[in-house]
Amino acid sequence: LISSFLVRISFPFSIGHRHQQTTAKRVEEVEFDGPCMKTEVPGPRSKILAQQLESIQSVVQVNFFCDYEESKGNYLVDVDGNRMLDVYTQIASIPIGYNHPALTKVMTDPKNMGTFVNRPALGMMPPEQFSEKLVNGLMAVAPKGFSRVQTMACGSCSNENAYKAIFIWYRVRAGVLSFFFQVPGCPDLTLLSFMGGFHGRTLGCLATTHTKAIQKLDVPSFDWPIAPFPQLRYPLDQFERENAREEARCLEEAEDLIVKWNQKGRHVAGVVIEPIQAEGGDNHASFDFYRKLRGITKKHGCAFLVDEVQTGGGSTGKFWAHAHWGLDDPADIVSFSKKMLTGGYYQKDSFQPDKPFRIFNTWLGDHTKNLLLTEVIKVIKTENLLDQAKRSGKVMLEGLYDLQDKYPHLLSKARGIGTFCAIDVKDEDTRNLLLLKARNKGVVLGGCGTQSIRFRPALVFKEHHAHLFLDIFNDAIAELK
Amino acid sequence: LISSFLVRISFPFSIGHRHQQTTAKRVEEVEFDGPCMKTEVPGPRSKILAQQLESIQSVVQVNFFCDYEESKGNYLVDVDGNRMLDVYTQIASIPIGYNHPALTKVMTDPKNMGTFVNRPALGMMPPEQFSEKLVNGLMAVAPKGFSRVQTMACGSCSNENAYKAIFIWYRVRAGVLSFFFQVPGCPDLTLLSFMGGFHGRTLGCLATTHTKAIQKLDVPSFDWPIAPFPQLRYPLDQFERENAREEARCLEEAEDLIVKWNQKGRHVAGVVIEPIQAEGGDNHASFDFYRKLRGITKKHGCAFLVDEVQTGGGSTGKFWAHAHWGLDDPADIVSFSKKMLTGGYYQKDSFQPDKPFRIFNTWLGDHTKNLLLTEVIKVIKTENLLDQAKRSGKVMLEGLYDLQDKYPHLLSKARGIGTFCAIDVKDEDTRNLLLLKARNKGVVLGGCGTQSIRFRPALVFKEHHAHLFLDIFNDAIAELK
């Protein structure tokens, strides 16, 4: 990584920068040249704002307040003027960095004004450009095998409605007559999900979410089958046989559950799974595991729903993480949100209810997000950001391997695809301390699972950002003794 | 209603206009001077667009495609150039008409750009102006007794999370220990809802929604108690004694259900109800009914959730429909969406979970909607639009009374508060035919229940719009023979 044009980055505090930038930046790429920390985070202004907000809302989850006008590219600026390299991106939901000029252009185009100030009921009275924006947006990046998409407002609504589409499909397929005016039959169908999976927090989604106890506590739920998710041992190449055995055990148990629940009349209409269990701790399984799971769903007539809410949008180096699996037969439904800006799901034709108002709500998403997404997709293609994610991810993962070699008592299980990386810290308290230390040195990170750190940079995160991140992260770790 | 400045309105087709406009319009108020129909609706362009969309999405619910750039004030323009008086407003979700200059200004203000292109995770990294916009927006119109608000993306998510807040509150109140790391207890708590009620279509909401069979068919649900909602006889002044008896019966049954379900250990944590059952057919109950229901919830320790998703925002002449009731003790939670542009709910302090991530998701709403709502509220106050809704509502309701006197074989049960009005048609087919006839004459209307028409104009709907609507509606009815 030899630079042809060196740029020295200066920090007011002790933030190291030992890696060199790889290329001179083009003018339009100029963002900030590094973090710049003026206070601890949260700083005094953030604290005052939190006090004000506290009289209206809970602030127990608030990290700090941001200046979104001043933020740019990979850098998030807070209200105390601290400028941080953002490797968390609003819980993995900012696709191409802050204030990307392509998005600003969408907002200032007078042609789009009518869309932004008049929110249509998209299912009843869509705007003239609706199809066109879907074709150039969501459908332009549809996973292999999908020609239909339904937009929704957020990730939870996407999964809730995808679940409904599965139940309706299952009953139609089973030949159950669905007459319009009969007393509603709410059958005792089930969905199979996995321990450690996260699919949202509304009541239907929550029945399939199994990450932290606090998320489900005190809330009534559906009694649905839950299969174990493989607990792989790292480094993967040293535990090939053990891991294969673990995956086989989980698949066997999943299939057993389907058979047993079908036998007791509580049929498993579908299986829902993430390509990487993100909130649950960045738990990976092999591509082979997923291919075999797909086979099991086919064998037992269950729908196969891949939840790409966090993994979708390109950070794994492919637009959809499940595209890495090489499925012979595509999934049945793929749900998304976050970096896609709009929620929704792709579905096979047979999952489209034939009767109106079975899948419906007032807004069915927000067309303003389709306009923005169309531009995001253009930028991803024009700037080859999927390849960028592969390259930056390689730097990150190799750097994480180096760090865990350097600090084996603190770090383990460096893992990832593209920039969708994670590492484990020895325990939860140390993990949380490390997150704070890194933030005060100018890097925003997020935790997941009990003791993992997840790395979720935007797609405009380049190799030099990865080096910068690794330097600062190294400094933060070094301070843990 | 004597006009000081007569404006003749001309229509290319046979749209009558016998009422005169009441006042000269100020320049900034100039919208279109009436409907203008060029084709049947949907017209040829709408049909072509529907064919295009059909390859991607279900279009069975699509009425027609709109030109949102050309729409203005109370007039919705479709892609065939038909200009219609909109008395449905995207399922009651457009607060101050199309392309209101105050909203356009929000969008073109460079200060707001950062908010529109960078969607924050509001619960973790809110923008600097977050508190301020909540104070000048949602909190400026908070129902009596509420000082806390939680934003959400849509109506369903609002109710789903309000339900969770109720369950958590109920368990904390009951002294159930909620330790962080215990295995999640998902207790068999319930919510009591009413026949004919509508609270959304996600799985939790759907368990409390009881309008049309097709909405629930084939989808697993919770077994929760359902009370009868009063079936009032009209005209109300002729059936006072019968209606009082009917309401007493429903209250008694609701209380019985709470007692019985508590006794069998499936405790009723809360009661959820709309001030007017909108989707269910614009079913009203007396204010006294609601006051007594509130008393029952207090007596049995149930939370009282008022779902103002459709009724909130001013069309009843008060900002919140339940403000008409004159409750001694405020509700516990009030949910909203639609005309509020953002979803969410107000809650009493005791419903705020003390621990983080019990009520949470990535976006927790969309701050762009808070910016727009702040301006909507300013316009409502500056232009006295709540009084406007009372005045226009009076014209509408009196006109509907006249129409049902004129066509007693076709129309009945004219009812409403403010412009939130409805009327029943003799049967479903005739109702549907009347909706189409009115549309082809330039008035957009929506149905509800099995045979009702609901009127949901924007708050900028003035007396002269009400007269115009009544004229056209009369012409459409006259054609039914």
Side-chain angles (χ1 to χ4, degrees):
Chain A
L1 298 171
I2 303 301
S3 165
S4 60
F5 183 81
L6 296 180
V7 181
R8 289 306 309 166
I9 295 176
S10 64
F11 303 107
F13 291 162
S14 61
I15 297 166
H17 181 68
R18 288 172 298 276
H19 287 88
Q20 293 156 350
Q21 304 210 352
T22 46
T23 52
K25 296 173 188 173
R26 280 173 295 150
V27 175
E28 67 267 34
E29 287 176 0
V30 169
E31 52 175 16
F32 300 109
D33 58 4
C36 175
M37 302 305 289
K38 295 183 171 159
T39 71
E40 290 225 308
V41 180
R45 176 87 182 124
S46 266
K47 286 180 184 163
I48 288 169
L49 290 171
Q51 275 169 14
Q52 289 171 7
L53 183 58
E54 198 165 24
S55 63
I56 303 173
Q57 284 199 341
S58 167
V59 295
V60 283
Q61 298 140 172
V62 171
N63 290 352
F64 52 87
F65 284 75
C66 299
D67 186 338
Y68 288 103
E69 319 298 324
E70 285 301 313
S71 301
K72 207 190 306 182
N74 291 282
Y75 290 92
L76 178 60
V77 176
D78 78 0
V79 292
D80 289 282
N82 297 301
R83 182 206 304 155
M84 293 164 274
L85 182 65
D86 194 352
V87 192
Y88 194 35
T89 58
Q90 312 295 323
I91 321 179
S93 69
I94 299 286
I96 53 173
Y98 295 101
N99 289 305
H100 195 289
L103 301 186
T104 312
K105 211 173 137 205
V106 174
M107 296 303 309
T108 49
D109 185 342
K111 276 207 323 291
N112 295 332
M113 187 59 68
T115 299
F116 281 96
V117 301
N118 311 300
R119 187 174 185 176
L122 288 172
M124 295 183 87
M125 300 180 186
E128 178 154 23
Q129 312 78 6
F130 189 51
S131 298
E132 180 197 321
K133 291 294 173 191
L134 290 180
V135 167
N136 295 327
L138 288 168
M139 293 316 301
V141 291
K144 199 181 131 199
F146 291 94
S147 58
R148 303 186 80 76
V149 71
Q150 176 62 60
T151 52
M152 287 286 162
C154 69
S156 287
C157 277
S158 304
N159 280 333
E160 289 275 342
N161 282 283
Y163 293 0
K164 286 174 65 176
I166 286 174
F167 292 128
I168 293 167
W169 162 85
Y170 192 84
R171 295 261 288 185
V172 170
R173 202 177 125 281
V176 179
L177 292 176
S178 299
F179 287 118
F180 246 86
F181 296 109
Q182 78 187 41
V183 173
C186 296
D188 216 1
L189 294 175
T190 64
L191 290 178
L192 181 130
S193 53
F194 288 83
M195 280 310 299
F198 183 92
H199 304 286
R201 297 161 189 269
T202 50
L203 268 64
C205 294
L206 202 56
T208 58
T209 285
H210 319 288
T211 43
K212 302 186 179 75
I214 191 72
Q215 292 161 348
K216 295 169 78 93
L217 195 64
D218 299 338
V219 181
S221 192
F222 293 105
D223 177 25
W224 290 348
I226 310 165
F229 189 84
Q231 304 291 305
L232 301 188
R233 295 183 67 183
Y234 285 78
L236 293 177
D237 53 7
Q238 286 177 31
F239 294 98
E240 272 179 29
R241 194 184 306 170
E242 290 85 342
N243 289 338
R245 213 180 295 137
E246 166 70 354
E247 292 196 339
R249 179 187 74 85
C250 292
L251 288 169
E252 197 182 314
E253 188 146 344
E255 184 164 12
D256 275 357
L257 282 167
I258 295 171
V259 170
K260 278 183 194 147
W261 284 68
N262 284 351
Q263 277 170 354
K264 63 180 174 178
R266 302 204 54 210
H267 291 82
V268 179
V271 170
V272 52
I273 197 162
E274 298 156 279
I276 298 164
Q277 288 189 334
E279 170 73 17
D282 270 35
N283 307 318
H284 292 248
S286 71
F287 302 155
D288 185 57
F289 171 83
Y290 285 99
R291 285 191 298 264
K292 284 181 175 151
L293 181 63
R294 202 322 168 223
I296 291 171
T297 63
K298 289 293 277 186
K299 180 175 166 195
H300 296 281
C302 314
F304 189 49
L305 192 171
V306 181
D307 179 340
E308 291 249 23
V309 168
Q310 189 152 170
T311 49
S315 53
T316 66
K318 289 185 187 278
F319 206 92
W320 302 104
H322 80 275
H324 291 278
W325 302 343
L327 289 180
D328 292 326
D329 186 39
D332 293 309
I333 298 196
V334 174
S335 60
F336 54 82
S337 189
K338 288 186 179 270
K339 274 190 292 296
M340 302 301 285
L341 305 181
T342 175
Y345 56 90
Y346 298 98
Q347 59 187 348
K348 284 192 180 158
D349 289 8
S350 50
F351 286 78
Q352 174 85 68
D354 56 337
K355 293 188 180 61
F357 303 111
R358 304 197 73 173
I359 301 286
F360 189 77
N361 61 50
T362 299
W363 287 322
L364 286 174
D366 183 345
H367 192 50
T368 65
K369 310 302 179 192
N370 295 330
L371 297 193
L372 292 165
L373 176 65
T374 304
E375 290 309 305
V376 166
I377 289 169
K378 264 191 216 159
V379 170
I380 290 174
K381 291 187 174 175
T382 314
E383 302 186 8
N384 277 313
L385 293 184
L386 298 185
D387 288 337
Q388 178 66 64
K390 282 178 206 154
R391 291 195 304 273
S392 301
K394 190 161 181 287
V395 174
M396 281 183 77
L397 195 55
E398 282 171 4
L400 293 173
Y401 288 145
D402 289 347
L403 286 172
Q404 74 183 10
D405 286 346
K406 191 170 166 189
Y407 305 101
H409 57 298
L410 286 172
L411 302 178
S412 63
K413 292 175 66 176
R415 58 202 181 274
I417 310 179
T419 60
F420 202 102
C421 294
I423 199 161
D424 276 18
V425 186
K426 68 168 181 169
D427 57 44
E428 189 172 7
D429 287 347
T430 311
R431 188 268 312 267
N432 294 346
L433 184 63
L434 181 54
L435 292 177
L436 293 180
K437 281 190 179 292
R439 194 166 75 189
N440 281 326
K441 289 180 185 299
V443 169
V444 181
L445 297 174
C448 64
T450 51
Q451 63 201 85
S452 304
I453 297 179
R454 54 178 150 180
F455 307 107
R456 299 289 184 271
L459 298 172
V460 292
F461 190 82
K462 302 192 171 179
E463 292 97 315
H464 69 88
H465 298 109
H467 287 298
L468 182 54
F469 147 69
L470 288 165
D471 284 347
I472 301 173
F473 193 50
N474 177 70
D475 290 345
I477 299 162
E479 283 189 9
L480 291 177
K481 303 186 269 104
Chain B
L1 300 171
I2 303 300
S3 165
S4 61
F5 183 78
L6 297 181
V7 182
R8 290 306 309 166
I9 295 176
S10 63
F11 303 109
F13 291 161
S14 63
I15 296 164
H17 181 66
R18 288 173 297 276
H19 288 88
Q20 294 157 349
Q21 304 210 351
T22 46
T23 52
K25 295 171 187 170
R26 280 173 295 150
V27 174
E28 67 267 33
E29 286 176 0
V30 168
E31 54 175 14
F32 299 110
D33 58 4
C36 175
M37 302 304 291
K38 295 184 172 160
T39 71
E40 291 223 307
V41 179
R45 176 89 181 121
S46 266
K47 286 179 184 164
I48 288 169
L49 289 171
Q51 275 169 13
Q52 290 172 6
L53 183 58
E54 198 164 23
S55 64
I56 303 173
Q57 285 200 339
S58 167
V59 295
V60 283
Q61 298 140 171
V62 171
N63 291 352
F64 52 88
F65 284 76
C66 300
D67 185 338
Y68 288 104
E69 318 298 323
E70 285 301 313
S71 302
K72 208 189 307 181
N74 292 281
Y75 291 92
L76 178 61
V77 177
D78 78 1
V79 292
D80 289 282
N82 298 300
R83 182 206 303 155
M84 293 164 273
L85 182 65
D86 193 352
V87 192
Y88 194 35
T89 58
Q90 311 296 323
I91 322 180
S93 69
I94 300 286
I96 52 173
Y98 295 101
N99 288 305
H100 195 289
L103 301 187
T104 312
K105 213 173 135 203
V106 174
M107 296 304 309
T108 49
D109 185 342
K111 277 208 320 292
N112 295 332
M113 188 58 69
T115 300
F116 281 95
V117 302
N118 310 301
R119 187 174 187 176
L122 287 173
M124 295 183 86
M125 299 179 187
E128 178 153 25
Q129 312 77 6
F130 189 51
S131 296
E132 181 197 320
K133 291 293 172 190
L134 290 180
V135 167
N136 296 326
L138 287 168
M139 292 316 301
V141 292
K144 200 182 128 196
F146 290 94
S147 59
R148 303 186 80 75
V149 72
Q150 176 62 61
T151 52
M152 288 286 162
C154 70
S156 287
C157 277
S158 304
N159 280 333
E160 288 276 342
N161 283 283
Y163 293 0
K164 285 175 66 177
I166 286 173
F167 291 128
I168 293 168
W169 163 85
Y170 192 85
R171 295 262 289 187
V172 170
R173 200 177 127 281
V176 179
L177 291 177
S178 300
F179 288 117
F180 247 87
F181 295 109
Q182 79 187 40
V183 173
C186 297
D188 216 0
L189 295 175
T190 64
L191 290 178
L192 181 129
S193 54
F194 288 83
M195 281 308 300
F198 183 92
H199 303 286
R201 298 162 189 269
T202 49
L203 269 63
C205 294
L206 201 56
T208 58
T209 285
H210 318 289
T211 45
K212 302 186 180 74
I214 190 71
Q215 292 161 349
K216 295 168 78 92
L217 196 65
D218 299 338
V219 182
S221 192
F222 293 105
D223 177 24
W224 290 349
I226 310 164
F229 189 84
Q231 305 290 305
L232 301 188
R233 296 183 66 184
Y234 285 77
L236 294 177
D237 54 6
Q238 287 176 31
F239 294 98
E240 275 180 26
R241 196 183 303 169
E242 290 86 343
N243 288 339
R245 215 180 293 138
E246 167 69 355
E247 293 196 337
R249 178 187 76 85
C250 293
L251 288 170
E252 197 182 315
E253 189 147 344
E255 185 164 10
D256 275 358
L257 282 167
I258 294 171
V259 170
K260 277 182 196 149
W261 283 69
N262 283 351
Q263 276 170 355
K264 65 179 173 179
R266 302 204 55 212
H267 291 81
V268 179
V271 171
V272 51
I273 197 162
E274 299 156 280
I276 299 164
Q277 287 189 335
E279 170 74 17
D282 270 35
N283 307 318
H284 292 249
S286 72
F287 301 157
D288 186 57
F289 170 84
Y290 285 100
R291 286 191 298 264
K292 284 179 175 152
L293 181 63
R294 201 322 166 224
I296 290 170
T297 61
K298 289 293 278 187
K299 181 175 163 193
H300 295 282
C302 314
F304 189 49
L305 191 172
V306 181
D307 179 340
E308 291 250 24
V309 168
Q310 187 152 170
T311 49
S315 52
T316 66
K318 290 185 188 280
F319 206 91
W320 301 103
H322 81 276
H324 291 279
W325 301 343
L327 288 180
D328 291 328
D329 186 40
D332 293 310
I333 297 197
V334 174
S335 60
F336 55 81
S337 189
K338 287 187 179 268
K339 274 190 292 297
M340 302 301 286
L341 305 180
T342 174
Y345 56 89
Y346 298 99
Q347 59 186 348
K348 284 192 179 158
D349 290 7
S350 51
F351 286 77
Q352 173 84 68
D354 56 338
K355 293 188 181 61
F357 303 111
R358 305 197 71 173
I359 301 286
F360 189 76
N361 61 51
T362 299
W363 287 321
L364 286 175
D366 183 345
H367 191 51
T368 65
K369 310 303 179 191
N370 295 329
L371 298 193
L372 292 165
L373 176 65
T374 304
E375 291 309 306
V376 166
I377 289 169
K378 264 192 216 159
V379 169
I380 290 175
K381 291 188 173 172
T382 315
E383 300 185 11
N384 276 313
L385 293 184
L386 298 185
D387 288 337
Q388 179 66 64
K390 282 178 204 151
R391 291 195 305 273
S392 301
K394 192 161 180 286
V395 173
M396 282 183 77
L397 195 54
E398 282 172 2
L400 293 172
Y401 287 146
D402 289 349
L403 286 172
Q404 74 182 9
D405 286 346
K406 192 170 164 187
Y407 305 102
H409 57 298
L410 287 171
L411 302 178
S412 64
K413 294 176 64 176
R415 57 202 182 275
I417 310 178
T419 59
F420 201 102
C421 294
I423 199 161
D424 275 18
V425 186
K426 68 168 181 168
D427 57 44
E428 188 172 9
D429 287 346
T430 311
R431 188 269 311 267
N432 294 346
L433 185 62
L434 181 53
L435 292 176
L436 293 181
K437 281 190 178 293
R439 196 168 71 188
N440 281 326
K441 289 180 184 300
V443 170
V444 181
L445 297 173
C448 64
T450 50
Q451 62 199 85
S452 305
I453 298 179
R454 54 178 150 178
F455 307 107
R456 299 289 184 272
L459 297 172
V460 293
F461 190 81
K462 302 193 172 180
E463 291 97 315
H464 70 88
H465 297 110
H467 288 298
L468 182 56
F469 149 67
L470 289 165
D471 285 349
I472 301 172
F473 193 49
N474 176 70
D475 291 346
I477 299 161
E479 283 189 12
L480 293 178
K481 325 178 258 105

